[in-house]
Amino acid sequence: MTTLKDPPQAADDHADLWLTPGELASWLSVVRLITRLPWAIDAQLQRDADLSMTEYMAMAMLAEAPDRTLRMSRLAEMTSVSLSRLSHLVKRLESRGYARREPDPVDGRFTNAGLLPAGMRKLEEAAPGHVALVRHLMVDNLSAERLRRLGQDAERIVQRIDSPAR
Amino acid sequence: MTTLKDPPQAADDHADLWLTPGELASWLSVVRLITRLPWAIDAQLQRDADLSMTEYMAMAMLAEAPDRTLRMSRLAEMTSVSLSRLSHLVKRLESRGYARREPDPVDGRFTNAGLLPAGMRKLEEAAPGHVALVRHLMVDNLSAERLRRLGQDAERIVQRIDSPAR
DNA sequence: GAGTTTGACTTGACGGTTCAAGTGAATCAG
DNA sequence: CTGATTCACTTGAACCGTCAAGTCAAACTC
């Protein structure tokens, strides 16, 4: 789908012009991946633990941070979400008793988010099912070499996304 | 981050247990990709054309379909969205004058969605900027071979997502 | 061929995300 | 040392996606 050949004499126009058929096919596969993979991960976590992927990731990052605590801004970049979104998200975690927030005593502009014991338990309870799915879809589905390269390519694209130019 | 070694004697627990450090790193890179790439694509389309990626994709699929028309259910699977979501989405496109809906005259259970001329113009206007970004982030950023393999891996994962088991 | 079932959507309410504006703490400028 | 600015969030409204329930048309079922 979305096959396009020659830019200049544009006789065949549809969606993604000016990509070769092969490039287009690869791109559309990636689009399907970035659409469905989050959906699949979310669905499992939602069903089994009533958590979104972002909530899980945020709790996981907190869990391994020193003192299970991180600044909101740091946590936001680690989880690739906006500060606003994180603020709402942590407020929800807080209301569920999984996390806690307090202004940094040293510099009052910072807010430190910490994972509470109940949050840690929730995470430990959710982890096996989540990991099993990741294993099923990714780790056991690709050779070690291809998984490694996939990670590299992903990282390369992400770096370009938040590189200055553009 | 999220380094975990040995499952049995679980001394180090955080997020993703029972993945080797390498597997975890690859997975986290992919998580960043599936989080930020949609965001980047959406941001460009939103800014330059006031369209979401899903809206763009749906219009693109319609544009290259025969008679610029597709059944809702077919369009839903082509764009990887639920029928419900597509219904809302097409209703919005309809209200903007980009698309049109009508029950299939042959079998009234189907609804055919069609792209209107204004939608086609909108798409043609949005395409160059969108394609340029895809080129910048993906096509020009990876070798042809790696792009091809990335597409293959993506497809393999997607297939496992909607494979019966699990 | 009336009643049930199935298929293909549509709708509305709810909840999460985004965006713009606001708050309050530190820092800088004179 | 005071007023403006910058930082690091927080808030609220608008918008979008999801989920459950509803609609309406065809296809069985007896």
Side-chain angles (χ1 to χ4, degrees):
Chain A
M1 56 198 60
T2 322
T3 49
L4 216 298
K5 291 97 189 182
D6 27 32
Q9 56 274 41
D12 171 20
D13 47 10
H14 45 287
D16 292 335
L17 307 144
W18 312 311
L19 289 181
T20 69
E23 289 165 351
L24 225 202
S26 294
W27 166 238
L28 290 178
S29 290
V30 170
V31 168
R32 278 189 287 277
L33 181 73
I34 67 181
T35 305
R36 287 157 121 132
L37 184 52
W39 185 88
I41 299 289
D42 261 323
Q44 182 275 323
L45 281 171
Q46 204 69 58
R47 175 167 51 77
D48 297 347
D50 195 33
L51 289 174
S52 69
M53 177 164 81
T54 311
E55 287 169 338
Y56 181 91
M57 287 295 163
M59 291 172 73
M61 297 301 177
L62 286 176
E64 62 188 271
D67 203 26
R68 288 178 190 168
T69 295
L70 285 170
R71 289 183 175 169
M72 289 293 280
S73 43
R74 179 82 188 107
L75 185 54
E77 61 185 36
M78 288 174 78
T79 51
S80 301
V81 305
S82 70
L83 206 41
S84 170
R85 179 173 171 185
L86 184 65
S87 180
H88 288 299
L89 188 153
V90 173
K91 194 195 308 178
R92 288 187 303 264
L93 291 182
E94 218 170 2
S95 75
R96 293 218 259 167
Y98 296 155
R100 158 190 64 81
R101 267 185 299 183
E102 59 178 0
D104 185 309
V106 176
D107 185 333
R109 285 172 302 184
F110 296 106
T111 301
N112 291 317
L115 191 66
L116 295 173
M120 194 64 199
R121 282 196 299 278
K122 182 70 176 176
L123 193 58
E124 282 166 346
E125 173 192 319
H130 170 67
V131 174
L133 180 58
V134 172
R135 227 176 217 314
H136 176 66
L137 296 179
M138 302 263 319
V139 180
D140 294 347
N141 195 23
L142 302 172
S143 72
E145 179 54 17
R146 287 187 85 116
L147 179 61
R148 203 179 58 75
R149 258 198 298 241
L150 175 60
Q152 284 177 356
D153 292 345
E155 206 53 40
R156 197 179 168 85
I157 293 165
V158 168
Q159 271 167 28
R160 194 164 271 217
I161 287 173
D162 42 45
S163 85
R166 153 78 293 166
Chain B
M1 56 200 55
T2 322
T3 49
L4 217 297
K5 293 96 189 184
D6 27 32
Q9 56 273 43
D12 170 22
D13 47 10
H14 46 286
D16 292 336
L17 306 144
W18 313 310
L19 290 181
T20 68
E23 289 165 352
L24 226 201
S26 295
W27 167 239
L28 290 178
S29 291
V30 170
V31 168
R32 278 190 287 277
L33 180 74
I34 66 180
T35 305
R36 287 157 121 133
L37 184 52
W39 185 88
I41 300 290
D42 262 322
Q44 183 274 324
L45 281 171
Q46 203 69 58
R47 175 167 50 78
D48 297 346
D50 195 34
L51 289 175
S52 69
M53 176 164 81
T54 311
E55 286 169 337
Y56 181 92
M57 287 296 164
M59 291 172 73
M61 297 301 176
L62 286 177
E64 62 188 272
D67 203 27
R68 288 178 190 168
T69 294
L70 286 170
R71 288 183 175 169
M72 290 292 281
S73 44
R74 178 82 188 107
L75 184 54
E77 62 184 35
M78 288 175 78
T79 51
S80 300
V81 304
S82 70
L83 206 41
S84 170
R85 180 174 171 185
L86 184 66
S87 180
H88 287 300
L89 188 153
V90 173
K91 194 195 309 179
R92 291 191 297 266
L93 291 182
E94 219 170 0
S95 75
R96 294 218 258 166
Y98 296 154
R100 159 189 64 80
R101 266 184 301 183
E102 60 177 1
D104 186 308
V106 176
D107 184 336
R109 286 171 301 185
F110 297 107
T111 302
N112 291 316
L115 191 66
L116 294 173
M120 195 64 200
R121 283 195 300 279
K122 182 71 176 175
L123 192 59
E124 281 166 347
E125 173 193 318
H130 171 67
V131 174
L133 180 58
V134 172
R135 231 179 212 312
H136 176 66
L137 296 178
M138 303 264 318
V139 179
D140 293 348
N141 194 23
L142 302 172
S143 72
E145 179 53 17
R146 287 187 84 115
L147 179 62
R148 202 179 58 74
R149 257 197 300 239
L150 176 59
Q152 284 177 355
D153 292 346
E155 206 53 39
R156 197 178 167 86
I157 294 165
V158 168
Q159 270 168 28
R160 195 165 271 216
I161 287 173
D162 42 45
S163 86
R166 153 99 281 167

